[in-house]
Amino acid sequence: MATSSKQYKAIGEDLWKGRTEKINAELFAMTYGALVVQLIQDYEDYAEVNKQLEKMGYNIGTRLIEDFLARSNIGRCADFKEAGEVVAKFVELPEESIEGGLWFSNVLCGVLRGALEMVQIRVEAQFISDVLRGDETTEIRVKLVKYLEEEVPVGDD
């Protein structure tokens, strides 16, 4: 029997409340902001900064889902719809970064891509709109690319 979104929510809340170390949101925002500023200085190209943020997010997502599955003792999602149900601001951007194409929160696209790939779902994720760029809403489009075959590591058969 498939696990309902209410059950996933309850499991997630239990894990969040009891067994997850937390940090102050303002500290996280400042640290993340400093990271983005450093990437801008290093690459001097917003497209490359977006790529690096997405890559970092991907790595975060793979670790995030790995940790969640280990702690929650639940199985993988049955389909893309179920995965979407499970995956359920303290920033002002300079005008030049918006005009240059920076998606400050692009790390989230990578988190989604990495987490879903860990449960055998390959997706493309990209920002459509973001309140940080002056849009009314923040929207990330997640497109299913394909379901992946579960691979057994060499020597584990």
Side-chain angles (χ1 to χ4, degrees), residues 95-131:
E95 195 62 37
E96 75 175 42
S97 66
I98 295 171
E99 291 169 2
L102 176 67
W103 291 96
F104 183 80
S105 302
N106 209 46
V107 70
L108 298 175
C109 292
V111 168
L112 291 168
R113 193 172 67 84
L116 290 170
E117 195 159 305
M118 289 299 290
V119 292
Q120 312 317 114
I121 302 172
R122 176 153 303 145
V123 299
E124 293 174 358
Q126 68 181 40
F127 269 91
I128 302 303
S129 61
D130 190 348
V131 294

Side-chain angles (χ1 to χ4, degrees), residues 30-148:
M30 288 181 0
T31 304
Y32 183 73
L35 170 73
V36 173
V37 167
Q38 187 62 52
L39 287 172
I40 291 169
Q41 290 172 353
D42 290 350
Y43 290 99
E44 299 178 351
D45 174 33
Y46 293 125
E48 186 60 32
V49 171
N50 290 336
K51 184 193 282 185
Q52 293 302 315
L53 289 171
E54 200 278 341
K55 189 186 299 185
M56 287 177 198
Y58 176 83
N59 291 328
I60 291 168
T62 59
R63 295 298 306 263
L64 181 76
I65 198 67
E66 195 174 77
D67 188 52
F68 175 77
L69 291 174
R71 290 181 186 210
S72 66
N73 210 18
I74 62 171
R76 298 182 188 277
C77 299
D79 57 27
F80 191 60
K81 180 181 177 194
E82 185 180 358
E85 291 172 355
V86 174
V87 177
K89 281 197 189 199
F90 307 93
V91 178
E92 269 186 50
L93 296 180
E95 195 62 37
E96 75 175 42
S97 66
I98 295 171
E99 291 169 2
L102 176 67
W103 291 96
F104 183 80
S105 302
N106 209 46
V107 70
L108 298 175
C109 292
V111 168
L112 291 168
R113 193 172 67 84
L116 290 170
E117 195 159 305
M118 289 299 290
V119 292
Q120 312 317 114
I121 302 172
R122 176 153 303 145
V123 299
E124 293 174 358
Q126 68 181 40
F127 269 91
I128 302 303
S129 61
D130 190 348
V131 294
L132 295 175
R133 296 172 60 88
D135 299 320
E136 266 188 49
T137 61
T138 297
E139 180 181 353
I140 297 175
R141 177 171 293 141
V142 180
K143 177 183 173 187
L144 174 64
V145 175
K146 70 178 184 175
Y147 292 102
L148 302 171

